[in-house]
Every structure is written in C-alpha cells, then in structure tokens.
Short mmCIF file of all heavy atoms in Angstrom, two decimals:
data_model
loop_
_atom_site.label_atom_id
_atom_site.label_comp_id
_atom_site.label_asym_id
_atom_site.label_seq_id
_atom_site.Cartn_x
_atom_site.Cartn_y
_atom_site.Cartn_z
N SER P 1 124.87 -152.07 14.21
CA SER P 1 124.53 -150.68 14.56
C SER P 1 125.53 -149.67 14.03
O SER P 1 125.28 -148.48 14.09
CB SER P 1 124.38 -150.54 16.08
OG SER P 1 125.59 -150.85 16.71
N GLU P 2 126.66 -150.11 13.49
CA GLU P 2 127.66 -149.21 12.92
C GLU P 2 127.39 -148.93 11.44
O GLU P 2 128.05 -148.08 10.84
CB GLU P 2 129.06 -149.80 13.08
CG GLU P 2 129.47 -150.04 14.52
CD GLU P 2 129.58 -148.74 15.31
OE1 GLU P 2 130.09 -147.75 14.76
OE2 GLU P 2 129.14 -148.72 16.47
N ASN P 3 126.42 -149.62 10.85
CA ASN P 3 126.12 -149.47 9.44
C ASN P 3 125.40 -148.14 9.21
O ASN P 3 124.28 -147.94 9.67
CB ASN P 3 125.25 -150.64 8.97
CG ASN P 3 125.00 -150.63 7.50
OD1 ASN P 3 124.72 -149.60 6.90
ND2 ASN P 3 125.09 -151.80 6.89
N GLU P 4 126.06 -147.24 8.49
CA GLU P 4 125.51 -145.89 8.28
C GLU P 4 124.23 -145.90 7.46
O GLU P 4 123.33 -145.08 7.70
CB GLU P 4 126.55 -144.99 7.62
CG GLU P 4 127.67 -144.62 8.56
CD GLU P 4 128.61 -143.61 7.94
OE1 GLU P 4 128.14 -142.72 7.22
OE2 GLU P 4 129.81 -143.73 8.20
N GLU P 5 124.13 -146.80 6.50
CA GLU P 5 122.92 -146.86 5.67
C GLU P 5 121.72 -147.28 6.50
O GLU P 5 120.63 -146.72 6.36
CB GLU P 5 123.12 -147.80 4.48
CG GLU P 5 124.20 -147.38 3.53
CD GLU P 5 124.01 -146.00 2.92
OE1 GLU P 5 122.87 -145.46 2.95
OE2 GLU P 5 124.99 -145.43 2.43
N LEU P 6 121.91 -148.25 7.37
CA LEU P 6 120.81 -148.68 8.24
C LEU P 6 120.44 -147.57 9.22
O LEU P 6 119.26 -147.36 9.50
CB LEU P 6 121.18 -149.96 8.99
CG LEU P 6 121.36 -151.20 8.12
CD1 LEU P 6 121.88 -152.36 8.96
CD2 LEU P 6 120.07 -151.57 7.42
N LEU P 7 121.43 -146.86 9.72
CA LEU P 7 121.17 -145.73 10.61
C LEU P 7 120.35 -144.67 9.89
O LEU P 7 119.38 -144.14 10.44
CB LEU P 7 122.48 -145.14 11.13
CG LEU P 7 122.36 -143.91 12.02
CD1 LEU P 7 121.54 -144.22 13.27
CD2 LEU P 7 123.73 -143.38 12.39
N ASN P 8 120.73 -144.37 8.64
CA ASN P 8 119.96 -143.40 7.85
C ASN P 8 118.51 -143.84 7.68
O ASN P 8 117.59 -143.04 7.79
CB ASN P 8 120.61 -143.19 6.49
CG ASN P 8 121.91 -142.45 6.56
OD1 ASN P 8 122.18 -141.73 7.52
ND2 ASN P 8 122.74 -142.63 5.55
N LEU P 9 118.32 -145.12 7.41
CA LEU P 9 116.96 -145.63 7.24
C LEU P 9 116.18 -145.57 8.55
O LEU P 9 114.98 -145.27 8.55
CB LEU P 9 116.98 -147.07 6.71
CG LEU P 9 117.42 -147.21 5.25
CD1 LEU P 9 117.62 -148.67 4.91
CD2 LEU P 9 116.40 -146.57 4.33
N GLU P 10 116.84 -145.84 9.67
CA GLU P 10 116.18 -145.73 10.97
C GLU P 10 115.72 -144.29 11.22
O GLU P 10 114.64 -144.06 11.73
CB GLU P 10 117.12 -146.17 12.10
CG GLU P 10 117.28 -147.66 12.25
CD GLU P 10 116.10 -148.31 12.96
OE1 GLU P 10 115.29 -147.61 13.59
OE2 GLU P 10 116.01 -149.54 12.88
N GLU P 11 116.55 -143.34 10.83
CA GLU P 11 116.22 -141.94 11.04
C GLU P 11 115.08 -141.47 10.14
O GLU P 11 114.27 -140.65 10.54
CB GLU P 11 117.46 -141.07 10.83
CG GLU P 11 118.49 -141.25 11.90
CD GLU P 11 119.79 -140.52 11.63
OE1 GLU P 11 119.97 -140.01 10.50
OE2 GLU P 11 120.63 -140.48 12.53
N VAL P 12 115.04 -141.99 8.92
CA VAL P 12 113.99 -141.59 7.98
C VAL P 12 112.64 -142.14 8.42
O VAL P 12 111.62 -141.46 8.31
CB VAL P 12 114.33 -142.08 6.55
CG1 VAL P 12 113.18 -141.86 5.60
CG2 VAL P 12 115.57 -141.38 6.03
N GLY P 13 112.63 -143.36 8.95
CA GLY P 13 111.38 -143.96 9.41
C GLY P 13 110.58 -144.56 8.29
O GLY P 13 111.10 -144.88 7.22
N ASN P 14 109.30 -144.73 8.54
CA ASN P 14 108.39 -145.35 7.56
C ASN P 14 107.81 -144.28 6.65
O ASN P 14 106.79 -143.70 6.95
CB ASN P 14 107.27 -146.09 8.27
CG ASN P 14 107.79 -147.25 9.09
OD1 ASN P 14 108.92 -147.66 8.92
ND2 ASN P 14 106.96 -147.76 9.97
N SER P 15 108.47 -144.05 5.55
CA SER P 15 107.99 -143.03 4.65
C SER P 15 108.43 -143.34 3.23
O SER P 15 109.23 -144.24 2.99
CB SER P 15 108.53 -141.66 5.06
OG SER P 15 109.92 -141.62 4.86
N LYS P 16 107.91 -142.56 2.32
CA LYS P 16 108.32 -142.72 0.93
C LYS P 16 109.80 -142.41 0.77
O LYS P 16 110.46 -142.98 -0.09
CB LYS P 16 107.48 -141.82 0.03
CG LYS P 16 106.04 -142.27 -0.06
CD LYS P 16 105.24 -141.37 -0.96
CE LYS P 16 103.78 -141.82 -0.97
NZ LYS P 16 102.95 -140.94 -1.78
N SER P 17 110.32 -141.55 1.60
CA SER P 17 111.75 -141.24 1.55
C SER P 17 112.59 -142.48 1.83
O SER P 17 113.63 -142.69 1.21
CB SER P 17 112.10 -140.14 2.56
OG SER P 17 111.46 -138.95 2.23
N ALA P 18 112.16 -143.30 2.76
CA ALA P 18 112.87 -144.53 3.08
C ALA P 18 112.85 -145.47 1.88
O ALA P 18 113.86 -146.09 1.54
CB ALA P 18 112.26 -145.21 4.30
N ILE P 19 111.71 -145.57 1.23
CA ILE P 19 111.57 -146.43 0.05
C ILE P 19 112.51 -145.95 -1.04
O ILE P 19 113.25 -146.75 -1.65
CB ILE P 19 110.11 -146.45 -0.45
CG1 ILE P 19 109.18 -147.03 0.61
CG2 ILE P 19 109.99 -147.20 -1.76
CD1 ILE P 19 109.49 -148.44 1.04
N LEU P 20 112.51 -144.66 -1.30
CA LEU P 20 113.38 -144.12 -2.34
C LEU P 20 114.85 -144.34 -2.00
O LEU P 20 115.67 -144.63 -2.87
CB LEU P 20 113.10 -142.64 -2.55
CG LEU P 20 111.74 -142.31 -3.16
CD1 LEU P 20 111.51 -140.80 -3.17
CD2 LEU P 20 111.62 -142.88 -4.56
N HIS P 21 115.18 -144.21 -0.73
CA HIS P 21 116.57 -144.41 -0.29
C HIS P 21 117.00 -145.86 -0.53
O HIS P 21 118.10 -146.11 -1.03
CB HIS P 21 116.72 -144.02 1.18
CG HIS P 21 118.13 -144.02 1.65
ND1 HIS P 21 119.06 -143.10 1.21
CD2 HIS P 21 118.78 -144.84 2.50
CE1 HIS P 21 120.22 -143.36 1.78
NE2 HIS P 21 120.08 -144.40 2.57
N ILE P 22 116.15 -146.80 -0.18
CA ILE P 22 116.47 -148.22 -0.39
C ILE P 22 116.64 -148.51 -1.87
O ILE P 22 117.59 -149.19 -2.28
CB ILE P 22 115.37 -149.12 0.21
CG1 ILE P 22 115.37 -149.01 1.73
CG2 ILE P 22 115.57 -150.57 -0.21
CD1 ILE P 22 114.15 -149.61 2.37
N LEU P 23 115.73 -148.01 -2.70
CA LEU P 23 115.84 -148.23 -4.13
C LEU P 23 117.14 -147.66 -4.68
O LEU P 23 117.80 -148.28 -5.51
CB LEU P 23 114.63 -147.63 -4.85
CG LEU P 23 113.28 -148.27 -4.53
CD1 LEU P 23 112.16 -147.49 -5.20
CD2 LEU P 23 113.25 -149.73 -4.93
N SER P 24 117.51 -146.50 -4.19
CA SER P 24 118.76 -145.87 -4.62
C SER P 24 119.97 -146.70 -4.21
O SER P 24 120.90 -146.89 -5.00
CB SER P 24 118.85 -144.46 -4.04
OG SER P 24 120.09 -143.89 -4.30
N LEU P 25 119.96 -147.19 -2.98
CA LEU P 25 121.08 -148.02 -2.50
C LEU P 25 121.25 -149.28 -3.33
O LEU P 25 122.36 -149.64 -3.72
CB LEU P 25 120.85 -148.42 -1.04
CG LEU P 25 121.01 -147.36 0.02
CD1 LEU P 25 120.58 -147.90 1.37
CD2 LEU P 25 122.44 -146.88 0.06
N MET P 26 120.14 -149.94 -3.61
CA MET P 26 120.21 -151.19 -4.36
C MET P 26 120.61 -150.92 -5.81
O MET P 26 121.34 -151.70 -6.40
CB MET P 26 118.89 -151.93 -4.28
CG MET P 26 118.54 -152.40 -2.87
SD MET P 26 119.84 -153.36 -2.06
CE MET P 26 119.73 -154.89 -2.95
N ASP P 27 120.16 -149.81 -6.36
CA ASP P 27 120.54 -149.47 -7.72
C ASP P 27 122.03 -149.19 -7.81
O ASP P 27 122.71 -149.65 -8.73
CB ASP P 27 119.74 -148.26 -8.20
CG ASP P 27 119.87 -148.05 -9.69
OD1 ASP P 27 119.76 -149.04 -10.44
OD2 ASP P 27 120.08 -146.90 -10.10
N SER P 28 122.58 -148.48 -6.84
CA SER P 28 124.01 -148.21 -6.86
C SER P 28 124.82 -149.48 -6.62
O SER P 28 125.91 -149.64 -7.17
CB SER P 28 124.39 -147.14 -5.84
OG SER P 28 124.18 -147.58 -4.54
N ALA P 29 124.28 -150.41 -5.85
CA ALA P 29 124.96 -151.69 -5.64
C ALA P 29 125.03 -152.47 -6.95
O ALA P 29 126.04 -153.10 -7.25
CB ALA P 29 124.24 -152.51 -4.58
N LYS P 30 123.98 -152.41 -7.75
CA LYS P 30 123.99 -153.09 -9.05
C LYS P 30 125.02 -152.46 -9.97
O LYS P 30 125.73 -153.15 -10.69
CB LYS P 30 122.61 -153.01 -9.69
CG LYS P 30 121.57 -153.87 -9.03
CD LYS P 30 120.24 -153.66 -9.70
CE LYS P 30 119.13 -154.29 -8.90
NZ LYS P 30 117.82 -153.96 -9.45
N ILE P 31 125.11 -151.14 -9.95
CA ILE P 31 126.08 -150.44 -10.79
C ILE P 31 127.49 -150.82 -10.37
O ILE P 31 128.34 -151.11 -11.21
CB ILE P 31 125.87 -148.92 -10.72
CG1 ILE P 31 124.55 -148.55 -11.40
CG2 ILE P 31 127.04 -148.18 -11.35
CD1 ILE P 31 124.11 -147.13 -11.18
N ASN P 32 127.75 -150.86 -9.08
CA ASN P 32 129.08 -151.23 -8.58
C ASN P 32 129.43 -152.66 -8.96
O ASN P 32 130.56 -152.94 -9.32
CB ASN P 32 129.15 -151.06 -7.06
CG ASN P 32 129.12 -149.60 -6.65
OD1 ASN P 32 129.42 -148.72 -7.43
ND2 ASN P 32 128.74 -149.36 -5.41
N GLU P 33 128.45 -153.56 -8.91
CA GLU P 33 128.69 -154.95 -9.27
C GLU P 33 129.05 -155.05 -10.75
O GLU P 33 129.99 -155.76 -11.13
CB GLU P 33 127.44 -155.79 -8.98
CG GLU P 33 127.58 -157.25 -9.35
CD GLU P 33 126.30 -158.03 -9.10
OE1 GLU P 33 125.51 -157.64 -8.23
OE2 GLU P 33 126.10 -159.03 -9.81
N LYS P 34 128.33 -154.34 -11.60
CA LYS P 34 128.63 -154.36 -13.03
C LYS P 34 130.01 -153.78 -13.31
O LYS P 34 130.75 -154.29 -14.13
CB LYS P 34 127.56 -153.57 -13.80
CG LYS P 34 126.24 -154.28 -13.88
CD LYS P 34 125.23 -153.45 -14.65
CE LYS P 34 123.88 -154.13 -14.65
NZ LYS P 34 122.86 -153.31 -15.34
N ALA P 35 130.37 -152.71 -12.61
CA ALA P 35 131.67 -152.10 -12.79
C ALA P 35 132.78 -153.06 -12.39
O ALA P 35 133.80 -153.17 -13.08
CB ALA P 35 131.77 -150.80 -12.00
N MET P 36 132.60 -153.77 -11.31
CA MET P 36 133.62 -154.71 -10.85
C MET P 36 133.79 -155.84 -11.87
O MET P 36 134.90 -156.26 -12.15
CB MET P 36 133.26 -155.29 -9.48
CG MET P 36 133.33 -154.26 -8.36
SD MET P 36 134.96 -153.49 -8.23
CE MET P 36 135.94 -154.86 -7.70
N LYS P 37 132.70 -156.34 -12.43
CA LYS P 37 132.82 -157.40 -13.44
C LYS P 37 133.56 -156.88 -14.67
O LYS P 37 134.35 -157.59 -15.27
CB LYS P 37 131.42 -157.90 -13.83
CG LYS P 37 130.79 -158.77 -12.77
CD LYS P 37 129.42 -159.25 -13.20
CE LYS P 37 128.79 -160.07 -12.11
NZ LYS P 37 127.43 -160.50 -12.46
N PHE P 38 133.29 -155.63 -15.05
CA PHE P 38 133.95 -155.05 -16.20
C PHE P 38 135.45 -154.96 -15.98
O PHE P 38 136.24 -155.32 -16.83
CB PHE P 38 133.37 -153.65 -16.48
CG PHE P 38 134.10 -152.92 -17.58
CD1 PHE P 38 133.87 -153.25 -18.90
CD2 PHE P 38 134.99 -151.92 -17.28
CE1 PHE P 38 134.54 -152.59 -19.92
CE2 PHE P 38 135.67 -151.25 -18.29
CZ PHE P 38 135.44 -151.59 -19.61
N TYR P 39 135.86 -154.49 -14.79
CA TYR P 39 137.27 -154.29 -14.53
C TYR P 39 138.01 -155.62 -14.26
O TYR P 39 139.21 -155.69 -14.43
CB TYR P 39 137.48 -153.35 -13.32
CG TYR P 39 137.15 -151.92 -13.67
CD1 TYR P 39 136.09 -151.28 -13.05
CD2 TYR P 39 137.87 -151.23 -14.61
CE1 TYR P 39 135.77 -149.96 -13.36
CE2 TYR P 39 137.57 -149.92 -14.94
CZ TYR P 39 136.51 -149.30 -14.30
OH TYR P 39 136.23 -148.01 -14.63
N ASN P 40 137.27 -156.65 -13.87
CA ASN P 40 137.92 -157.94 -13.59
C ASN P 40 138.09 -158.78 -14.84
O ASN P 40 138.77 -159.79 -14.80
CB ASN P 40 137.12 -158.71 -12.53
CG ASN P 40 137.28 -158.10 -11.16
OD1 ASN P 40 138.30 -157.52 -10.86
ND2 ASN P 40 136.26 -158.23 -10.34
#
C-alpha cells in the first residue's frame, strides 16, 4: 500500500488513462534497464 504507482492506478480506476499510465511505467522500466546494462 506504500507503492505510489499502485496508488496512482487505484485513483485513476478503470479507464484508458490507467492503461496509458501502465504502458508508460513499463516503457520507462525498459529504458532504465537498458541504461543500467550500458553503464555496467
């Protein structure tokens, strides 16, 4: 319940906004993973 991203999704509810938010989160996670591999 302390996870801010999950809280944001709970507040958005069942909508296209929630879908877009999830896609954005996962896309940024992929970018962060690629950056970490580059720097390591």
